Amino acid sequence: MITETIRKFVGRLFAPASRGPLRIARDKHGIDRRNVSRHAIKVCEVLRQHGYEAYIVGGAVRDLIVGLEPKDFDVATNATPEQIRPLFRRARIIGRRFQLVHVVFGQEIIETSTFRAPASEDQETDEHGRILRDNVFGTHEEDAARRDFTMNALYYDPHNEEVIDFHNGVADLKKRQVRIIGDPVKRYREDPVRMLRAVRFAAKLNGTIDLATRQPIGTMADLIENVPASRLFDEMLKLLTCGHAMDCLRQLRADGLHKGLLPLLDVVLEQPGGENFVELALERTDARVRSGKTISPSFLFAALLWQQVDVRWKQLRAQGEHTIPALSQAADSVLDEQTEKLAIQRRFSSDMREIWFMQPRFERRMGKSIFRMIEQPRFRAACDFLQLRAAAGEFDSVLAQWWMDLANADDVARADMVEEIARQPRDAGEAPAAPRKRRRPRRSSPRGAPSAD
């Protein structure tokens, strides 16, 4: 027995050490510290000064390595939310599924989370395996294991400028390959949104999805329908504003994922001119994203659903309904159908309706109505939408350009443009202005005569 004990001890002594994470130096990963948010670095420094580990993590590290500008910066640490919050002047604990801390620096929020443990058998899930509550803290290594894809399980240490890589994420990133961590079927059941994220990352990086990662998506696409509509809306918005929206939509359709997101997409793309209109809208959106300009979610979804609204609008008008009531009914029916799957926020749907309802008004240029149009809050967005319709051949391009010139002009130039239109003979398609009626002077009654009342 003593011999066996000695043998085991010697075996442990000379056994190869367990392989730890790769620690990649600056000259290998290429991240320039000057491109990292100074507020994210500050959060890491403060936590480090108080004896905690802290790293910039996830999408920011991924984007910095491939030369993209991150939209936001997250920090991961072994400090708990209750330990993090007192260290910063403006910080609040948020979250139900998993608590984390928002550290606020003016307009920038640094989302700071505690290392999480991987999913366990006793965690609360729905009947399909989707995790409903995930509030278990873990170690640094466990936190890396529970992240979705290898390229998102990267940690940047601003102190020594190393990237810590547990799952060969940097190698996958260099190959532009999206690879899930762990068993794909199990990971997709835990969170079906990961299937959408795989498509988005592959399109954003102009890369591919690893075969094992992609294979189960076609058979598991129906799980998307079990995800809360508000979360689907957030993920869909990220997908449409990633700079490669049309590629994402085509991939979603190829994998059957769009049925839980945009059930009208098949109908839209199969209509004459439908794909052309959507492609034009998303190409212009992609161009704005790549040039660093802001994107309006209202405009995006208004463009994505317009073809279906337009078809129903024309059908109702053919049945004898008046223009605006017909458009209102068409918009309501499409939005009601879409909201069942995708929780478009009320403020966005309200803006979408305004953009749609201004389209018939562009067909007429008449006096005071032009100035009333200009005063509308969504006038500029509606003008941009009109340009899109003109590019797709739905509207006269010359008239659309006149409205855009009006939108870009100052007050004096606008007055001149409207006055010039008033002097020109009316086009056949534009209704003539109604003649002004001269008021007849009121006859005064003789003093003392009874009134007509």
Side-chain angles (χ1 to χ4, degrees):
M1 182 168 178
I2 295 175
T3 305
E4 180 67 16
T5 302
I6 293 173
R7 188 184 66 78
K8 289 182 179 179
F9 174 76
V10 172
R12 287 198 302 270
L13 187 66
F14 290 99
S18 59
R19 183 175 178 272
L22 295 174
R23 293 185 173 271
I24 304 170
R26 176 184 174 179
D27 61 336
K28 295 292 192 296
H29 59 65
I31 294 177
D32 188 338
R33 196 173 188 269
R34 292 172 296 182
N35 295 329
V36 180
S37 164
R38 60 188 179 89
H39 296 134
I41 293 175
K42 177 69 173 178
V43 170
C44 292
E45 288 176 344
V46 169
L47 288 166
R48 185 182 176 87
Q49 289 166 6
H50 286 81
Y52 302 111
E53 295 178 65
Y55 309 94
I56 295 166
V57 67
V61 183
R62 177 195 68 227
D63 290 348
L64 287 168
I65 289 176
V66 297
L68 299 175
E69 182 179 353
K71 290 184 177 180
D72 46 45
F73 287 82
D74 298 337
V75 168
T77 176
N78 60 347
T80 65
E82 289 75 15
Q83 292 169 329
I84 298 167
R85 185 173 59 178
L87 303 181
F88 301 93
R89 186 170 61 87
R90 297 181 63 196
R92 60 181 182 272
I93 297 176
I94 67 162
R96 293 181 181 177
R97 184 181 172 203
F98 185 83
Q99 289 188 336
L100 45 84
V101 179
H102 276 179
V103 184
V104 182
F105 297 90
Q107 297 296 316
E108 185 176 18
I109 296 176
I110 305 300
E111 190 170 279
T112 307
S113 61
T114 307
F115 294 149
R116 300 187 217 180
S120 59
E121 296 298 328
D122 58 349
Q123 280 183 293
E124 184 182 353
T125 62
D126 65 11
E127 65 271 23
H128 305 286
R130 183 172 66 89
I131 295 177
L132 301 177
R133 192 167 297 276
D134 183 17
N135 209 23
V136 181
F137 300 140
T139 64
H140 189 181
E141 185 174 359
E142 288 175 331
D143 187 76
R146 58 147 293 281
R147 293 185 178 272
D148 49 10
F149 302 103
T150 59
M151 63 177 60
N152 291 336
L154 301 173
Y155 301 77
Y156 176 72
D157 186 345
H159 177 69
N160 56 24
E161 300 188 58
E162 285 183 338
V163 168
I164 302 171
D165 183 0
F166 287 90
H167 298 281
N168 293 317
V170 172
D172 285 339
L173 200 51
K174 299 291 186 184
K175 292 186 291 185
R176 308 273 174 159
Q177 178 176 259
V178 179
R179 182 166 60 88
I180 204 164
I181 298 172
D183 175 33
V185 173
K186 181 182 178 183
R187 301 308 304 276
Y188 291 149
R189 287 197 178 278
E190 291 173 356
D191 186 0
V193 167
R194 286 171 178 152
M195 293 184 281
L196 303 179
R197 289 166 63 82
V199 170
R200 173 161 61 90
F201 293 143
K204 182 177 180 178
L205 298 172
N206 193 24
T208 59
I209 302 175
D210 169 66
L211 181 60
T213 301
R214 183 177 181 181
Q215 197 166 20
I217 291 179
T219 58
M220 301 183 74
D222 290 346
L223 293 178
I224 291 292
E225 297 185 13
N226 305 314
V227 178
S230 58
R231 186 150 183 252
L232 280 183
F233 177 81
D234 291 340
E235 191 59 37
M236 191 63 186
L237 195 55
K238 290 178 183 178
L239 187 147
L240 292 173
T241 58
C242 72
H244 301 272
M246 197 63 203
D247 291 338
C248 287
L249 285 188
R250 287 197 180 101
Q251 189 62 57
L252 289 179
R253 196 182 184 205
D255 292 332
L257 288 168
H258 67 288
K259 293 178 181 177
L261 289 169
L262 288 170
L264 297 177
L265 190 61
D266 281 330
V267 180
V268 169
L269 296 183
E270 288 166 6
Q271 288 171 354
E275 183 167 2
N276 181 41
F277 187 88
V278 171
E279 191 164 355
L280 279 170
L282 295 182
E283 281 177 357
R284 295 186 180 196
T285 298
D286 291 344
R288 289 183 66 87
V289 170
R290 293 168 189 169
S291 61
K293 296 179 180 178
T294 57
I295 298 298
S296 165
S298 309
F299 187 91
L300 260 177
F301 284 101
L304 211 54
L305 301 180
W306 168 250
Q307 289 293 296
Q308 191 65 16
V309 171
D310 190 36
V311 167
R312 297 187 188 183
W313 180 31
K314 290 173 180 175
Q315 290 172 348
L316 289 167
R317 291 175 70 185
Q319 295 168 12
E321 186 64 77
H322 292 294
T323 299
I324 298 302
L327 182 54
S328 180
Q329 290 180 45
D332 287 344
S333 64
V334 171
L335 286 173
D336 287 345
E337 288 178 20
Q338 193 57 52
T339 304
E340 291 180 8
K341 297 290 183 183
L342 198 65
I344 300 176
Q345 298 173 22
R346 182 172 296 181
R347 62 191 175 100
F348 294 143
S349 60
S350 176
D351 291 348
M352 290 162 62
R353 289 171 63 90
E354 286 188 42
I355 291 171
W356 290 336
F357 289 173
M358 290 181 75
Q359 298 309 304
R361 299 174 65 183
F362 286 121
E363 297 173 8
R364 300 289 185 269
R365 295 181 293 180
M366 294 184 297
K368 293 181 180 180
S369 66
I370 296 176
F371 290 104
R372 285 196 293 269
M373 287 273 284
I374 294 171
E375 293 169 358
Q376 298 297 317
R378 299 290 170 267
F379 173 68
R380 182 53 192 253
C383 272
D384 288 338
F385 196 84
L386 186 68
Q387 304 304 305
L388 191 59
R389 292 179 62 209
E394 289 187 10
F395 195 87
D396 180 73
S397 59
V398 175
L399 184 54
Q401 186 59 50
W402 185 90
W403 282 106
M404 182 53 72
D405 292 341
L406 186 74
N408 293 330
D410 57 26
D411 290 341
V412 175
R414 284 176 176 175
D416 291 341
M417 290 176 69
V418 174
E419 186 177 346
E420 183 182 354
I421 286 296
R423 290 196 301 264
Q424 291 179 359
R426 294 281 169 179
D427 295 334
E430 292 187 282
R436 293 184 60 184
K437 294 182 179 180
R438 298 185 62 182
R439 293 186 60 185
R440 296 178 62 184
R442 185 176 178 180
R443 293 180 61 185
S444 57
S445 302
R447 184 172 298 179
S451 67
D453 298 336

